[in-house]
Amino acid sequence: MNQIININSFHKNLLSWFDNHARILPWRQNPHWYKTYLSEFMLQQTQVDQVLPYFLKFYHKYPDIYALANLEEQEILRQWAGLGYYSRARNLRKASIKIVKNFNGNFPETIKDALTLPGIGIYTAHAILSIAFNKPYAVVDGNVKRVISRLFTINEEITSIKALKKITPICDFLLNKKYPSKHNEALMELGATTCTPINPDCQSCPVNLFCKANQDNAVHLFPVRIPRKAKRNVFYYTFIIKHNEYFLLIKREAKGLLASMWEFPSLEGIEKGYSQKKLLKFITNDLGINGKIDHIYKSIKHQYTHLSASYTPVKITADSKKQTFEMFPDWKWIKPGELSQYPIHTAHKKITRNLEIETKG
DNA sequence: AAATCGGGGGG
DNA sequence: CCCCCAGATTT
C-alpha cells in the first residue's frame, strides 16, 4: 500500500453514497441467496442491462434451486440462448443439482464447499457468501480492480495475475468487516456507475479524497492496459437444407465454441470465396445429401471475443430427408415453427431473421 | 501465464 | 471499429 487512508472515513463515505445511489435491481429486492446465486452466474463478464431480462425470465420460470436442478441441459441452454458464455448455463444446472444433492438444497456457507460447485470460482464464492450471508470476504471483480487501480495507482497491467495479487490484499484490508455485504456491492456499484472506464465522474465520487490517481490528475492513466491481440478471421458457409417444408438442424460438439448449441450445418474456412462446386461437394460427400444450390445470400458479420466471423447462408434443396449423420452429435429435420424449441446461438438466429425462416419457411 | 469462451453497448 | 464487462476453466 503506497498511501495511508482513514479507513473509517472511507467506509462511511462509501456506504452512505451507496445508500443514496444504489440502483434498484431485481436481485436486491427481498434479498435471498437464490437471487444472488442466479444473478452472479449471469453477471460473470456480463453487464447488468444485458442480464436484467434473463434474470427476470429465469426467476419467474425457476423460482428456486429445485426448479433449476430439475432442468434438462438442452432446456437451460435454450433459455440461456443469446446471453453468451454457455458453459455458465451448464454449470448453473450442475451446481444446482449438487446443492440439492450434497447440501440439502442450501447454499454451502464455507468457501471450501462453495468452491466445489462448478462455475463458482473465487470471485463468485466471495460474492455470494458476502452479499447473501454477510460473510467477511472481499470481492475482486472488473469494477473493483479498476477502482483500486485508480485509488492506489496500480501500475501492473490490469488483466495480469500480478495486478490481481497486488489488488486482492488491498481489498482484504479495505473490507468493512461489519458490513461486508454492503461494502462489496458499493465498491462494485461505484465502478459500474461512477468510476467508469471512460470519463469517470470523479466530482461525485464519494472516495475521491482517497484517490491517488485523482490527486495526481492521472485518473485517465489507470487502469494500465496493453492492447489486445488481433482477432482471427473465420468464414462460415451456413446451409439451409430444405426438403419440402423441413430443414436440417444439427447439434454442435459438446466442447469448444458454442458447445452443444444447435445450428444449421456449416462449412468452416479461414478464407472467403469457396466455389459453388466446393460447396456442393461438402453437401454431397461430407453430409451425403443429394441436392442443388438454390441461392447464396449476402453474408452477415458476427464478432466474438477472439474471432471475427462471417456467415454466408446457402439455400439447398435436398432430394430426400437423409437420416444418418456421423459427423454430428445429434440432428433433426424440423419445420420452421419448431425452431424456437432449440437452443440456437445468436449468429444463426440472425440468419433466421434475415431469411425470415420462422415465418415464410 | 495465456488462451478460450458470447454478446451487447458505448465512444 | 475498438473497447469493456458482478470470471471460470483449460492448456
Side-chain angles (χ1 to χ4, degrees):
Chain A
M1 196 104 50
N2 57 2
Q3 70 202 101
I4 306 295
I5 72 170
N6 182 331
I7 192 83
N8 290 325
S9 179
F10 180 88
H11 287 162
K12 184 163 168 279
N13 290 6
L14 183 62
L15 286 197
S16 72
W17 172 84
F18 186 63
D19 284 338
N20 291 320
H21 294 87
R23 289 169 291 181
I24 296 173
L25 299 171
W27 46 90
R28 286 178 178 166
Q29 304 186 305
N30 304 317
H32 183 273
W33 70 259
Y34 178 71
K35 294 183 185 176
T36 311
Y37 168 80
L38 179 59
S39 64
E40 287 300 339
F41 259 94
M42 293 182 166
L43 286 162
Q44 287 168 7
Q45 286 290 283
T46 309
Q47 295 173 127
V48 165
D49 285 345
Q50 201 181 342
V51 164
L52 279 173
Y54 285 85
F55 177 86
L56 294 172
K57 177 176 78 172
F58 268 72
Y59 188 68
H60 182 252
K61 290 177 85 88
Y62 318 113
D64 57 40
I65 194 75
Y66 302 98
L68 276 187
N70 283 332
L71 277 173
E72 296 295 323
E73 180 178 290
Q74 182 94 347
E75 180 59 11
I76 198 168
L77 281 176
R78 188 174 76 95
Q79 299 295 342
W80 197 275
L83 192 55
Y85 284 155
Y86 298 99
S87 66
R88 290 183 297 174
R90 272 189 296 279
N91 285 334
L92 174 62
R93 173 176 171 271
K94 286 182 192 160
S96 301
I97 292 171
K98 200 162 181 178
I99 288 171
V100 168
K101 262 182 101 170
N102 297 7
F103 301 104
N104 198 27
N106 300 308
F107 193 84
E109 293 190 37
T110 67
I111 289 290
K112 186 166 173 279
D113 284 344
L115 288 175
T116 66
L117 298 171
I120 293 191
I122 294 284
Y123 163 77
T124 306
H126 282 206
I128 297 173
L129 289 181
S130 66
I131 294 172
F133 299 98
N134 210 35
K135 304 250 180 198
Y137 299 110
V139 298
V140 185
D141 76 325
N143 289 311
V144 172
K145 284 204 280 189
R146 182 172 54 261
V147 171
I148 300 299
S149 79
R150 287 170 175 163
L151 283 172
F152 298 94
T153 57
I154 304 296
N155 282 304
E156 312 290 347
E157 202 279 328
I158 196 65
T159 65
S160 68
I161 295 183
K162 273 190 171 179
L164 184 66
K165 290 197 170 174
K166 217 164 194 175
I167 290 170
T168 299
I170 296 178
C171 290
D172 291 342
F173 169 76
L174 288 178
L175 180 67
N176 189 329
K177 274 79 177 177
K178 197 171 176 188
Y179 304 105
S181 174
K182 269 197 177 183
H183 173 95
N184 280 335
E185 283 213 84
L187 215 48
M188 291 192 281
E189 188 86 351
L190 185 65
T193 64
T194 304
C195 193
T196 47
I198 329 167
N199 297 325
D201 185 8
C202 297
Q203 301 294 336
S204 51
C205 174
V207 292
N208 54 9
L209 290 179
F210 305 104
C211 183
K212 181 78 161 55
N214 191 38
Q215 288 163 16
D216 296 351
N217 201 17
V219 173
H220 61 290
L221 298 178
F222 297 92
V224 174
R225 195 177 277 286
I226 56 172
R228 297 189 190 187
K229 284 185 180 175
K231 288 183 187 176
R232 202 169 76 241
N233 290 320
V234 186
F235 297 92
Y236 295 98
Y237 284 94
T238 300
F239 298 103
I240 318 299
I241 304 174
K242 294 205 68 180
H243 180 74
N244 297 333
E245 73 270 42
Y246 292 89
F247 59 89
L248 183 60
L249 206 64
I250 65 105
K251 187 182 187 180
R252 292 176 64 92
E253 298 292 331
K255 284 187 173 183
L257 187 70
L258 305 165
S260 299
M261 298 295 281
W262 287 68
E263 65 178 13
F264 304 107
S266 299
L267 174 58
E268 175 184 342
I270 55 170
E271 63 183 62
K272 201 170 183 170
Y274 286 169
S275 64
Q276 292 212 14
K277 193 172 174 182
K278 183 157 184 176
L279 299 181
L280 208 51
K281 193 177 163 194
F282 172 76
I283 297 294
T284 310
N285 293 2
D286 296 350
L287 295 183
I289 289 177
N290 291 314
K292 63 176 173 60
I293 296 177
D294 285 333
H295 192 66
I296 299 179
Y297 295 86
K298 188 169 180 294
S299 62
I300 65 146
K301 312 289 179 198
H302 190 79
Q303 299 298 323
Y304 295 96
T305 303
H306 295 92
L307 300 174
S308 200
S310 160
Y311 294 83
T312 306
V314 181
K315 198 162 189 178
I316 306 280
T317 297
D319 295 344
S320 68
K321 274 164 56 185
K322 179 174 176 283
Q323 292 296 344
T324 310
F325 300 97
E326 276 106 25
M327 59 190 296
F328 305 126
D330 202 356
W331 68 89
K332 193 95 175 175
W333 291 92
I334 68 167
K335 295 178 185 175
E338 299 171 324
L339 202 53
S340 63
Q341 298 172 17
Y342 294 82
I344 317 283
H345 57 88
T346 299
H348 277 212
K349 213 164 254 181
K350 279 186 196 170
I351 292 174
T352 68
R353 282 200 292 270
N354 284 5
L355 273 56
E356 298 181 339
I357 288 174
E358 315 95 314
T359 53
K360 283 176 23 180

